[in-house]
Amino acid sequence: MTGAGPDPAAVDERVLGAGTNARFALLLVLLVAASGSMLMPVLTAFRSGSLTGCLLAAGADVDRLGTLGSTLRTTGQSLAYLPCAARDNPPLPWWQIVCGPAAVLLFAAAIAAVLPRWKQRRGRCVELALVDRTGVVEARVRALAAGRVDPVPALFQASAVLTRNGAAFGRNRRPRLRLNAGLVACRDTDAATFDAVVLHELAHVANRDLTVTYATVALWRSFLTLVLCPYVLVTFWRGTRLVARGDTLFSADYARQVALPVLTVLVISVVRAEVLRSRELHADLTARRWRAPLEHVWAAMPPRRAVRGVRRWADGALELVRIHPPWEVRRDALADPAPLFEVRALLMFLIGVIAALTNYHLMWHFVPHMAMMNGWLNQAVGAAPAAVVAAATAPLLWRAVLRTTALGRRPPTGVRGGLWLGAGLVAGSVLNGHTTGSLWLPARWGALGLVVVAAVGFTCWTTQCARLAATVRPGRSLRFPLALGLVAGWLVLSVWFTWWDYYGAMYVHGAWYDGAGARQAVVQWFPGTGTVRPDTSALMARVVPPLRYVVGVPLVPLAAVTSWVVPLALWAVGSRRGGPGTAAVPLLPSLRRALGAALGGGAFAVVCVAAVQAWLHHLHAGVGQRGGLYAFSYALWCLAAIVLGAAVAASAAARVPAFRLPAALVASGTAALLGIGGMVLLISADGCLGSLSVLNDTCGWRPAWRQLQGGLTFRLVIHAALLVAPVTALLVTALAALARRTADSRTARRPRPSPAVGPPAGRQRVLPTLGLGTCVVALATAVILLVADVPGQLRPVAKTVSPAAQAEFQRIMGLPILPVSARMRWRQVHAWYRVGGRYLVENAMADGAALVKVLGEARHDERIDITPALMTKVRPFCVDLRNIAGWEVYYFQVPDPAAQAAWHRFGVTALVAGGRCAEAANRSDTGAFASSVTDLLKAVRDVRDMSGRIRQILDDPQDRVFTGRPLPPPQPRL
């Protein structure tokens, strides 16, 4: 006799929350973010300021602003562009930017307060007591509500509506129930229908979904009124101006401006309908628990007609925005509430789109004040979409895992949900222009694969944590483990979004690092002299710059550590509660295997670090050659040793058949932590270890963070080691899963999960304690690193951009001269001359002419008599020319290559010669004075050539750029 399977309805649909609040939060975050960014063009539409002059002066193509070349031209000249933008187009003050979201929220609150009164207005419904003279209907409603809802809702009747329906509305604390006249009339003739409908509406009150429902409606109406309508009007007004100027409307920029409200409306409508449909299913299940005769009502419903062709597709599309699910779905959900636990592809896709749109809108809040941004503000921008994804997807995945675990079914892997989530992120970033700029399509589609990989990694990690928690805590509440998973997932995604916003998206644009320039920058990062042994600077130039940007995100240490600390903590707690071989954890492998692999990998990493030291000691660099690239390469070889140890630990731990990813994460993270500790001790004791000495010859305690502080090398190594460890675990796990699947397909059978292998009784408490202690040490290390970085991360961009940093960016990323039309080149040079170039050129030429005049007056018999009086007269011109030449690194480069070459020669020559001339005049050194003046005259000829080239390009002496008072260049410090 075959036993019956588990009852699908045995799993309570309310477990870990219904998810309605999380989906409402999706709409709230998106609408608040969109309110600020979409109102900004409305507020700036009638302002006179413009960024066009600064963009053109930087050499950007204003017709293709989103292209990589234009982005590099502005970013690579931040010293001039940021103050120029602040002068020509002052940003909106913060209070105006905040006013948009605040106004939407306040208006939504007002609508939510008025909406219930509007629904119970005279002419639409009346109080039930005024109609039900006998009180029979009210008594029956109160009888049905007794013991089920508190407070009992206020009762109203819609006398003009003859359908047998009702509606619960209002707020959770002040619910209202409207009964249609047809439903009241059937109280005596069809009591089952009356009871079913009333219990369903009372279920909404019991589920406390009224406030969320009407807040969703109010928020949408507020956004539509205050934001969407003004934005559409301003967008079409700008379109008419473009047509009047003769420009085309068929550009990617304008198309996205028009498509943005359409996409926003579509996404919000679908998610809003998803929120309302979900509450209906939960209300049905709650009413079913109250023994409401719902089948009696639905049996009278006409069957759904089958349609084909276009009609079928149209019905499917309309189904996405309907607020009530079909009767067939509601009837099936009573027997099996699987739809409430399913990780639907459409919902995951929409979550990705909403996160991408939210990220885009939030970034535009801060773009006007980009100069004042710092690392933590950038992190805050990335934290919001991370919260959207984590809060919306984690409960879905945990609920799905919990149901399959309770029913004894195979749990989801998270791959399918991650693929749809990644597809939504990709679609959203392409549609909003974040990864395309002014292009229709991304320059590098392959780089978008990073988004999908990150999404799949996050969902797989989340499902494994959920499965681990469900295994170690059978029959217990999972709200606290879910909270831990939410926090850890939010931290990881915050790091991802922050990096993607400011660096990852550049790869999709087509940006990459120039090998020669990056190598030159790497050489200058660590002070002192020394060479790489062997020369791996070319490889370093490819790896170190992107790695440096990744580990520069503030939350990297904490996010990297929590990604494996959370599984380890759950595992350790489960091992402590469930003894070896107990039924509490039937599929949980022993923690001994993961920690053993971690110890082995950590020891291997320390041995590799020692081997690196022995190797470099054997090469024996001289005392004066132990800085520069020598010390920098030593630190990077140590990093490679730690990563290798983490990979070995992950490979050993991933051999378990169950919980492969948590085991690999715990092993690799712990091994990296042990390797870091060993490396710090070895470097700090350098000089005391004989054949392992690298940087020092004498013994003494020299902390590693001080020996490798140049170029933030120690920070780079430690942060990178912590970050690469979980990434390595994910890659090793993916390869192990593919290998296992290949082996399964060859043998045509699936492996059976191995039984739990517990430690001996004497170690039953030791391993969990060791695991929890490892969690504490790891978190403490991450917090220390985080706090140590706070001062540097709080520095605004305006204070971090220096001539050296700008030159480094130009070397690494390049500063291309864009191939543009002759008209665009004329506009660029014209703007360069107008916003400050004319002031510098004319002053340089005036000083040059004055210098030539003074020298001419001192000429006698074809030679110049250099006297103290002459040097005193010439010295002010030397100082002026030196000061003007100093602007060459702060101001925009000339968009014309020939003019820029002459301008650069003037800057380099006059900067040095002007200083030498002033010093020679102070010392009355005639020889040095004569030499420096000769160089200054060469520089003056260069600036004259450059001025002639500019006039040749502009070719109109009557142009207003040549008349009037010249505009000084913007001050480089904001």
Side-chain angles (χ1 to χ4, degrees):
M1 180 177 179
T2 305
D7 182 11
V11 182
D12 195 335
E13 78 281 357
R14 298 168 295 179
V15 65
L16 296 179
T20 305
N21 291 336
R23 292 166 199 171
F24 170 73
L26 285 177
L27 296 179
L28 178 63
V29 174
L30 174 59
L31 290 179
V32 169
S35 299
S37 66
M38 294 179 69
L39 280 178
M40 286 172 63
V42 177
L43 296 175
T44 58
F46 305 101
R47 298 180 64 187
S48 58
S50 174
L51 291 175
T52 304
C54 298
L55 292 168
L56 289 169
D61 186 350
V62 293
D63 293 337
R64 296 167 60 87
L65 282 180
T67 58
L68 174 63
S70 296
T71 302
L72 291 178
R73 292 294 302 184
T74 55
T75 308
Q77 301 181 89
S78 298
L79 286 172
Y81 179 75
L82 292 177
C84 180
R87 184 186 66 181
D88 285 10
N89 188 32
L92 291 173
W94 284 108
W95 67 268
Q96 290 188 14
I97 298 176
V98 175
C99 273
V104 170
L105 292 177
L106 290 175
F107 191 47
I111 293 176
V114 173
L115 197 58
R117 298 181 179 275
W118 175 254
K119 294 179 73 68
Q120 69 184 53
R121 67 188 183 276
R122 290 184 179 182
R124 183 163 185 173
C125 61
V126 296
E127 294 185 13
L128 182 62
L130 300 178
V131 181
D132 182 25
R133 300 293 185 181
T134 62
V136 175
V137 177
E138 182 176 357
R140 181 54 183 167
V141 173
R142 293 187 176 277
L144 293 174
R148 295 188 174 107
V149 296
D150 185 27
V152 177
L155 302 178
F156 298 88
Q157 176 179 323
S159 303
V161 184
L162 302 180
T163 58
R164 296 183 177 185
N165 288 324
F169 62 99
R171 298 190 299 273
N172 291 338
R173 294 185 178 182
R174 294 191 60 187
R176 299 167 174 85
L177 178 59
R178 187 191 69 203
L179 306 177
N180 294 346
L183 181 65
V184 174
C186 77
R187 165 67 188 86
D188 297 324
T189 60
D190 192 356
T193 297
F194 181 87
D195 290 350
V197 173
V198 171
L199 286 174
H200 172 85
E201 299 303 330
L202 291 175
H204 286 299
V205 180
N207 291 340
R208 303 184 65 81
D209 61 17
L210 299 181
T211 299
V212 169
T213 300
Y214 286 93
T216 303
V217 174
L219 192 62
W220 167 241
R221 294 181 180 179
S222 175
F223 177 79
L224 181 67
T225 304
L226 298 182
V227 179
L228 203 57
C229 291
Y231 177 85
V232 171
L233 292 175
V234 169
T235 300
F236 279 100
W237 175 71
R238 286 182 171 176
T240 57
R241 293 185 63 189
L242 290 175
V243 172
R245 285 192 324 213
D247 296 335
T248 178
L249 293 180
F250 298 99
S251 64
D253 288 334
Y254 188 76
R256 288 191 179 92
Q257 293 177 16
V258 175
L260 185 61
V262 177
L263 179 63
T264 304
V265 170
L266 180 62
V267 171
I268 290 176
S269 300
V270 174
V271 177
R272 171 176 170 268
E274 174 70 25
V275 171
L276 300 179
R277 284 198 303 267
S278 176
R279 71 187 281 268
E280 293 298 330
L281 294 179
H282 281 279
D284 286 342
L285 291 169
T286 301
R288 175 64 178 271
R289 280 193 296 272
W290 294 342
R291 301 185 182 279
L294 299 176
E295 292 85 352
H296 173 78
V297 178
W298 294 340
M301 296 297 172
R304 193 174 185 179
R305 293 183 301 174
V307 293
R308 296 180 179 179
V310 178
R311 178 79 177 274
R312 179 181 178 183
W313 289 100
D315 286 351
L318 290 175
E319 199 67 49
L320 298 176
V321 296
R322 288 177 180 144
I323 62 175
H324 286 81
W327 297 111
E328 296 84 356
V329 175
R330 300 176 68 172
R331 184 166 50 241
D332 295 340
L334 290 181
D336 183 5
L340 297 177
F341 293 90
E342 182 183 1
V343 183
R344 291 189 296 278
L346 176 62
L347 183 56
M348 295 295 287
F349 180 83
L350 289 175
I351 292 172
V353 174
I354 289 176
L357 292 177
T358 302
N359 192 31
Y360 171 80
H361 288 304
L362 282 176
M363 288 181 64
W364 274 103
H365 280 74
F366 296 94
V367 165
H369 296 274
M370 187 59 66
M372 297 296 105
M373 295 291 288
N374 57 45
W376 279 108
L377 287 177
N378 293 337
Q379 183 72 80
V381 175
V388 168
V389 175
T393 59
L396 290 175
L397 297 169
W398 277 64
R399 283 165 55 87
V401 169
L402 185 59
R403 183 171 187 270
T404 55
T405 303
L407 299 179
R409 299 176 181 175
R410 184 178 180 181
T413 62
V415 174
R416 180 174 175 271
L419 290 174
W420 281 106
L421 176 64
L425 289 170
V426 169
S429 62
V430 171
L431 291 173
N432 63 30
H434 185 203
T435 55
T436 55
S438 62
L439 302 177
W440 287 100
L441 297 174
R444 284 180 177 168
W445 281 99
L448 289 173
L450 291 173
V451 180
V452 179
V453 171
V456 172
F458 168 74
T459 53
C460 290
W461 175 86
T462 302
T463 53
Q464 287 294 305
C465 288
R467 188 181 172 198
L468 184 62
T471 303
V472 301
R473 297 172 63 91
R476 299 171 62 90
S477 174
L478 296 181
R479 291 189 179 273
F480 182 69
L482 172 59
L484 288 179
L486 275 173
V487 172
W490 170 72
L491 288 171
V492 172
L493 289 174
S494 295
V495 170
W496 164 258
F497 277 107
T498 303
W499 174 80
W500 180 257
D501 286 345
Y502 299 99
Y503 305 111
M506 290 195 307
Y507 302 151
V508 186
H509 280 291
W512 194 244
Y513 302 98
D514 177 72
R519 185 182 183 279
Q520 186 179 0
V522 167
V523 170
Q524 298 178 357
W525 277 343
F526 201 97
T529 59
T531 57
V532 179
R533 300 189 178 193
D535 189 1
T536 56
S537 56
L539 178 62
M540 292 164 58
R542 292 291 181 181
V543 175
V544 175
L547 188 63
R548 199 180 184 208
Y549 288 128
V550 173
V551 301
V553 179
L555 285 177
V556 160
L558 194 58
V561 166
T562 53
S563 66
W564 59 269
V565 161
V566 169
L568 177 57
L570 294 174
W571 202 338
V573 172
S575 299
R576 173 174 290 183
R577 287 176 177 166
T582 61
V585 283
L587 298 178
L588 185 64
S590 171
L591 188 59
R592 177 179 56 181
R593 188 166 197 172
L595 292 181
L599 290 174
F604 183 74
V606 175
V607 170
C608 290
V609 172
V612 168
Q613 290 183 316
W615 172 51
L616 290 176
H617 178 82
H618 175 71
L619 296 176
H620 190 65
V623 176
Q625 296 293 319
R626 295 178 183 176
L629 276 183
Y630 179 77
F632 191 65
S633 62
Y634 167 45
L636 293 185
W637 281 115
C638 291
L639 171 62
I642 295 173
V643 173
L644 183 60
V648 169
S651 301
R655 298 177 62 185
V656 296
F659 300 102
R660 187 179 291 115
L661 179 57
L665 285 170
V666 169
S668 63
T670 307
L673 192 65
L674 293 173
I676 290 172
M679 181 198 72
V680 169
L681 290 176
L682 289 174
I683 296 177
S684 299
D686 186 75
C688 303
L689 303 177
S691 60
L692 298 184
S693 300
V694 177
L695 300 176
N696 305 284
D697 291 328
T698 59
C699 182
W701 180 258
R702 305 174 182 89
W705 50 89
R706 293 183 180 175
Q707 293 205 67
L708 299 178
Q709 65 180 348
L712 300 177
T713 303
F714 181 79
R715 175 177 178 271
L716 172 68
V717 171
I718 301 301
H719 288 210
L722 292 176
L723 177 64
V724 174
V727 175
T728 301
L730 286 171
L731 295 177
V732 168
T733 304
L735 294 176
L738 291 175
R740 178 60 62 91
R741 178 166 295 185
T742 303
D744 293 343
S745 63
R746 290 178 179 176
T747 57
R749 64 181 180 87
R750 294 187 178 276
R752 296 179 180 179
S754 61
V757 181
R763 304 182 199 171
Q764 185 174 340
R765 297 290 181 182
V766 175
L767 287 177
T769 303
L770 182 61
L772 293 176
T774 303
C775 295
V776 173
V777 172
L779 289 174
T781 303
V783 171
I784 291 173
L785 295 173
L786 199 67
V787 172
D789 289 341
V790 167
Q793 296 289 357
L794 289 177
R795 295 181 62 194
V797 173
K799 293 185 178 180
T800 59
V801 178
S802 62
Q806 181 170 281
E808 177 184 317
F809 181 88
Q810 293 177 3
R811 283 194 300 267
I812 295 176
M813 303 301 300
L815 196 67
I817 298 294
L818 304 184
V820 295
S821 64
R823 175 60 182 173
M824 182 60 67
R825 184 71 70 204
W826 182 92
R827 293 179 64 189
Q828 291 174 345
V829 175
H830 188 277
W832 184 93
Y833 202 63
R834 179 181 60 83
V835 301
R838 178 191 169 197
Y839 180 91
L840 298 175
V841 172
E842 289 187 353
N843 276 277
M845 293 180 63
D847 286 328
L851 175 62
V852 171
K853 180 180 179 181
V854 171
L855 293 176
E857 292 175 351
R859 181 185 297 272
H860 299 286
D861 298 331
E862 300 301 324
R863 60 184 301 274
I864 299 176
D865 294 330
I866 301 178
T867 62
L870 176 64
M871 288 189 283
T872 302
K873 288 183 180 180
V874 170
R875 187 182 183 282
F877 305 123
C878 297
V879 174
D880 285 349
L881 288 171
R882 181 193 62 188
N883 293 339
I884 295 172
W887 277 95
E888 195 264 337
V889 297
Y890 289 99
Y891 189 58
F892 297 111
Q893 293 187 7
V894 188
D896 178 70
Q900 169 57 27
W903 178 243
H904 180 66
R905 289 195 304 270
F906 162 78
V908 172
T909 304
L911 187 63
V912 176
R916 288 171 44 225
C917 173
E919 293 177 2
N922 293 336
R923 300 194 310 266
S924 297
D925 187 342
T926 57
F929 180 81
S931 175
S932 60
V933 168
T934 302
D935 292 340
L936 280 178
L937 292 176
K938 293 179 181 178
V940 170
R941 285 195 295 270
D942 288 329
V943 79
R944 286 176 178 172
D945 293 342
M946 177 258 198
S947 177
R949 173 62 181 169
I950 289 178
R951 291 181 177 274
Q952 180 183 357
I953 294 174
L954 300 183
D955 193 25
D956 185 4
Q958 303 303 320
D959 192 290
R960 287 184 298 175
V961 76
F962 296 114
T963 61
R965 187 175 181 180
L967 185 68
Q971 292 298 317
R973 297 296 180 187
L974 296 181

